[in-house]
Amino acid sequence: MNGSCLELENPIRDAISRIRFAPQSNNLLISSWDSSLRLLEVDCSQLRLEASSEAALLDCCFQDESVAFSAGSEGSITRYDLQSGISNKIGNHDDMVTCVEYSTETRQVITAGFDKKIIAWDMFGAKPLVFVKNLDAEVESMSLSGFELIVAVGSSVDIYDLRNLDQSVQSNESCMDVPIRCVSSIPYCKGYAVGSVDGRVKLEISYPSVSNNMGYMFRCHPKSRDRRNHVVPVNDIAFNPFISGVFVTGDNAGYVTAWDAKSRRRLFELPSCSNSIASLTYNHEGQILAVASSHTYKEATEIEKPPQIFVHELDESHLRSVSDGSST
């Protein structure tokens, strides 16, 4: 696997909160605690947009190739025209907004945060606010696939149908016995994976061709000098959109590891980064993996080094080994 560090003319000055590839291109959206949203064209390492905000940005997402949204630490949700650079606020939470997603099915922006609310915003109707769901706890992670919204609250996972947010269609209150750090939907079937603060990952997968659901939990610890496993939070999980069952985990010790859900095997491990892994994203073809190496403000003992973004391209031989489940 070939890997390179993206060089920015104006370096990111604070922690990276989220990176996301565009739906149909290799443009990379970057939100960070330095109050800026950046759009980077990965193919030529050119910065196409840098938009300043009044507060730290804790999440971002695309609507399409020309429109994006961000979630602000002061509670704002902002819409960006990526071609003109014009931005406008579409609404506010009562506290920090930690998660933002866009649904192409309902044409709504879905947000959640520390005010214990899930809010759906209608971008095309007469009223911007269409729904508010009050929860019992703060939301730190959320993921969307089709009509299915996966929300991690504390150590539990709730699943909602965007066509009826009045109540969850499934609640897994005992998903973990420790707080969940991240949740990721599976793009090609129903299911999700969660990463915990103690280095465990739990998968729940429902394949259309299989009658029984598949679910299990495992630990994904980095190597340690004393050859003993130690507790390291899993900060992010990303599924390859085209290779069924393949996903990567990024942890607080700077390790990115690829796994095969079907064979329950580790496929490969990238060279460790000097910072934590803050965010992971595959491009739309599943051939490029972008890795944000950054402190995360979630661990007081972290060493603060300049944030970096690495891009790893899967070559043909590696794609074959991953697709047939061979470990490397």
Side-chain angles (χ1 to χ4, degrees), residues 82-321:
L82 299 176
Q83 296 178 342
S84 67
I86 297 174
S87 63
N88 62 284
K89 291 184 180 179
I90 66 171
N92 286 276
H93 277 250
D94 297 327
D95 205 334
M96 299 172 64
V97 188
T98 54
C99 308
V100 58
E101 298 279 355
Y102 180 78
S103 169
T104 56
E105 282 76 11
T106 64
R107 301 202 301 179
Q108 295 172 347
V109 177
I110 316 298
T111 58
F114 280 7
D115 60 355
K116 305 178 183 180
K117 294 178 181 178
I118 301 173
I119 303 180
W121 310 84
D122 185 1
M123 296 293 94
F124 299 92
K127 296 181 180 180
L129 177 63
V130 296
F131 190 86
V132 176
K133 174 69 177 179
N134 293 304
L135 305 174
D136 296 328
E138 300 170 348
V139 178
E140 285 209 33
S141 186
M142 183 174 74
S143 187
L144 178 64
S145 179
F147 289 107
E148 193 171 75
L149 181 69
I150 315 292
V151 181
V153 179
S155 58
S156 67
V157 169
D158 292 331
I159 302 176
Y160 297 88
D161 189 321
L162 291 184
R163 293 163 293 191
N164 181 17
L165 282 170
D166 288 327
Q167 61 183 4
S168 62
V169 296
Q170 180 179 336
S171 180
N172 190 350
E173 295 183 356
S174 60
C175 180
M176 289 281 190
D177 54 4
V178 295
I180 294 170
R181 178 62 62 86
C182 61
V183 61
S184 180
S185 300
I186 302 174
Y188 41 78
C189 65
K190 285 192 173 183
Y192 62 87
V194 297
S196 72
V197 298
D198 68 349
R200 286 180 293 168
V201 170
K202 183 174 183 179
L203 288 101
E204 294 288 343
I205 305 175
S206 177
Y207 290 104
S209 59
V210 180
S211 57
N212 295 326
N213 293 346
M214 180 174 68
Y216 60 90
M217 187 183 301
F218 69 96
R219 293 188 179 273
C220 52
H221 292 287
K223 298 174 183 177
S224 58
R225 292 183 178 178
D226 58 4
R227 295 185 179 182
R228 295 181 180 179
N229 293 332
H230 51 100
V231 173
V232 176
V234 178
N235 291 332
D236 202 10
I237 299 171
F239 283 86
N240 190 299
F242 277 98
I243 305 179
S244 178
V246 171
F247 64 97
V248 288
T249 59
D251 64 34
N252 225 58
Y255 287 85
V256 176
T257 308
W259 310 88
D260 181 9
K262 294 180 180 179
S263 65
R264 306 189 184 190
R265 296 173 64 184
R266 187 180 72 171
L267 297 173
F268 61 84
E269 186 176 83
L270 297 180
S272 62
C273 298
S274 58
N275 267 321
S276 301
I277 305 303
S279 185
L280 300 163
T281 181
Y282 278 103
N283 73 334
H284 64 289
E285 296 177 329
Q287 295 178 332
I288 300 176
L289 173 67
V291 177
S293 171
S294 167
H295 62 285
T296 64
Y297 286 112
K298 293 182 179 180
E299 298 294 327
T301 58
E302 290 184 52
I303 299 174
E304 296 189 11
K305 296 181 180 179
Q308 293 177 302
I309 296 176
F310 297 92
V311 173
H312 299 271
E313 186 172 355
L314 291 165
D315 55 34
E316 291 186 8
S317 62
H318 195 90
L319 283 169
R320 285 195 298 270
S321 68

